[in-house]
Amino acid sequence: EPLGKSIKTSISSTPTETCHDLIILTPLKEEWDELLAVLDTAIDTVVDPLSREYSYDFRINSYRCRGAFIGEMGETESALAVQRFVNLNPKLVVLLGIAGALHPDVKLGDVVAADVVDSYLSRSKAVSSPRTKGRYELELAGAPYRCSSALLNEVQNLQYAHAGVFKEWQSRTQTERARLMPDQGASLMQTGAINPASRIHKGHMACGPIVAA
């Protein structure tokens, strides 16, 4: 049976102003669709009567959550989206997304919890190219943001302090892998593109408007 089969939707024209435990945002609709695929809960649609912006209320276990997809990538877009939910007094805001990886330890389906997020184009300068006369290159500077050590400690100790939750997460990722890659899973594992079980990594994350394609 597919995960998320019991999702139901109802529409409210007035946003609920009560406190929420968790705000979950994804930059792109495609990422939001993947989140919905694993949520096995009822979802209430909330429409702001002035801006006509959509968001969605749901529960994960005992936690009251609100989520939305931003519709675009970018630091400014994400910051503005977070401001929409400040009045809900959330205990935690989570930005979920799909990203590429440079480190060989990070495989398809793994999760990276950032200890530093570097806005690599911030404070960059256009300087004369030492290789090509009359051309310019970007000299990167960056603006690193150091993430919460308390949250990182929770992530790093998840598999030991909450072994049952961690194993359930690994089992769910294996189910999703089979759904998304029914024919390629074995060959990708042989080439080292995926791990037998998904892992959680801590590391630096680059943040910016440029996409490698």
Side-chain angles (χ1 to χ4, degrees):
E1 293 182 345
L3 295 171
K5 63 167 187 164
S6 65
I7 290 177
K8 299 178 181 178
T9 304
S10 62
I11 297 180
S12 169
S13 297
T14 305
T16 305
E17 300 301 338
T18 54
C19 295
H20 284 56
D21 298 298
L22 185 63
I23 301 297
I24 302 178
L25 301 174
T26 69
L28 301 179
K29 181 179 179 295
E30 294 84 352
E31 295 162 332
W32 179 253
D33 288 340
E34 291 302 320
L35 174 62
L36 291 186
V38 299
L39 285 179
D40 189 16
T41 184
I43 293 181
D44 293 322
T45 301
V46 180
V47 185
D48 188 288
L50 297 178
S51 66
R52 305 306 298 171
E53 292 175 315
Y54 282 70
S55 57
Y56 303 91
D57 278 350
F58 52 93
R59 286 186 178 272
I60 299 177
N61 298 326
S62 61
Y63 297 104
R64 183 169 188 179
C65 308
R66 180 167 292 186
F69 65 90
I70 300 168
E72 295 182 73
M73 297 185 298
E75 299 157 87
T76 302
E77 289 79 5
S78 296
L80 291 173
V82 170
Q83 289 301 311
R84 289 171 50 193
F85 304 104
V86 170
N87 63 318
L88 299 178
N89 298 312
K91 298 177 182 177
L92 187 65
V93 177
V94 177
L95 181 67
L96 293 178
I98 301 168
L102 296 176
H103 199 286
D105 287 348
V106 181
K107 310 295 185 181
L108 290 171
D110 287 358
V111 171
V112 178
D115 55 357
V116 175
V117 178
D118 194 344
S119 179
Y120 56 88
L121 286 182
S122 180
R123 299 196 297 265
S124 298
K125 295 189 297 184
V127 297
S128 297
S129 172
R131 292 181 291 272
T132 307
K133 185 177 181 180
R135 299 182 71 89
Y136 290 85
E137 296 179 355
L138 282 180
E139 185 179 90
L140 302 181
Y145 171 80
R146 299 197 175 274
C147 303
S148 165
S149 59
L151 289 177
L152 287 171
N153 286 336
E154 292 291 335
V155 170
Q156 287 185 287
N157 287 278
L158 179 63
Q159 70 183 99
Y160 310 114
H162 306 282
V165 173
F166 183 77
K167 289 178 180 178
E168 181 185 357
W169 168 71
Q170 287 187 316
S171 176
R172 280 200 166 204
T173 59
Q174 289 176 327
T175 300
E176 279 299 287
R177 180 189 298 170
R179 179 181 71 87
L180 294 170
M181 302 181 294
D183 303 319
Q184 303 95 331
S187 60
L188 288 171
M189 194 173 298
Q190 288 177 349
T191 60
I194 58 177
N195 289 312
S198 294
R199 300 175 181 175
I200 299 177
H201 306 269
K202 180 189 78 170
H204 284 41
M205 189 172 293
C207 179
I210 298 176
V211 177

